[in-house]
Amino acid sequence: MPSMKHQHLHRTLRSISLLASLAALGSAAHAQQNAAPPAAAASAAWKYKTTHVHRADIDALLAHPDKVLLLDLRRPDEQIQYGSFPAFLSIQFTELEKSLDYIPRDRQILTVSNHAQRAGAAGDLLASKGYRVAGAAGSEEYENEGGKQVAHIRPPAPRPASAPQ
């Protein structure tokens, strides 16, 4: 028969093991609870009146370039890093309200940002000023959905060194 000391040690180890298991389960549950929401939940969190458009809608609008203006609200470095649609008017989101006179009123406007959040806010602003807003698009979302209209700027090849004269 095991000694009292051995039985006490065995109970202590079992308690420690149980506590460690509970702590691990608690950490896993906490991590799962704080994980990023799935894409469907993220799109459900759309908070703008402007329609959040996706690839099929964007392609349909781009099929009629005489009827739509793409208004890209991103900084030039974002356009270079993430690509841009082939033809667009570039007004950074922070400059939009004071640049309204540059935006034509004879076309539908598709606002563009990386993930459509700035585009949604801009679409709401433009609609409140009487512009016809077709929707808000995210250029990265569009590409991830299989869209092929986003062009990526490639730096030119280096020029060959000229021979000294």
Side-chain angles (χ1 to χ4, degrees), residues 89-125:
L89 175 62
S90 176
I91 300 175
Q92 291 180 42
F93 181 74
T94 56
E95 304 293 315
L96 181 60
E97 193 144 18
K98 63 184 176 184
S99 302
L100 293 174
D101 290 339
Y102 293 99
I103 303 171
R105 292 182 177 268
D106 63 337
R107 295 178 181 215
Q108 292 184 74
I109 298 171
L110 177 63
T111 56
V112 177
S113 60
N114 289 333
H115 298 283
Q117 296 300 312
R118 285 174 285 180
D124 287 358
L125 172 69

Side-chain angles (χ1 to χ4, degrees), residues 7-149:
Q7 288 176 347
H8 179 69
L9 179 62
H10 185 65
R11 269 188 263 137
T12 302
L13 288 174
R14 201 171 32 187
S15 296
I16 290 172
S17 176
L18 179 62
L19 287 173
S21 296
L22 288 173
L25 285 173
S27 294
H30 180 73
Q32 185 176 13
Q33 187 177 23
N34 291 331
S43 66
W46 187 253
K47 60 185 175 186
Y48 305 103
K49 292 179 183 176
T50 300
T51 303
H52 185 187
V53 295
H54 297 279
R55 191 189 83 191
D57 298 317
I58 295 167
D59 286 341
L61 288 165
L62 292 175
H64 303 283
D66 58 324
K67 296 179 181 168
V68 68
L69 169 76
L70 274 67
L71 177 59
D72 197 320
L73 300 147
R74 300 172 297 162
R75 298 181 319 268
D77 64 296
E78 292 176 290
Q79 294 168 355
I80 291 168
Q81 182 176 356
Y82 301 111
S84 60
F85 289 95
F88 58 90
L89 175 62
S90 176
I91 300 175
Q92 291 180 42
F93 181 74
T94 56
E95 304 293 315
L96 181 60
E97 193 144 18
K98 63 184 176 184
S99 302
L100 293 174
D101 290 339
Y102 293 99
I103 303 171
R105 292 182 177 268
D106 63 337
R107 295 178 181 215
Q108 292 184 74
I109 298 171
L110 177 63
T111 56
V112 177
S113 60
N114 289 333
H115 298 283
Q117 296 300 312
R118 285 174 285 180
D124 287 358
L125 172 69
L126 292 169
S128 76
K129 303 290 184 181
Y131 290 87
R132 294 183 301 134
V133 178
S139 66
E140 283 187 82
E141 293 173 338
Y142 173 80
E143 268 196 303
N144 290 339
E145 293 169 355
K148 304 291 184 208
Q149 298 287 334

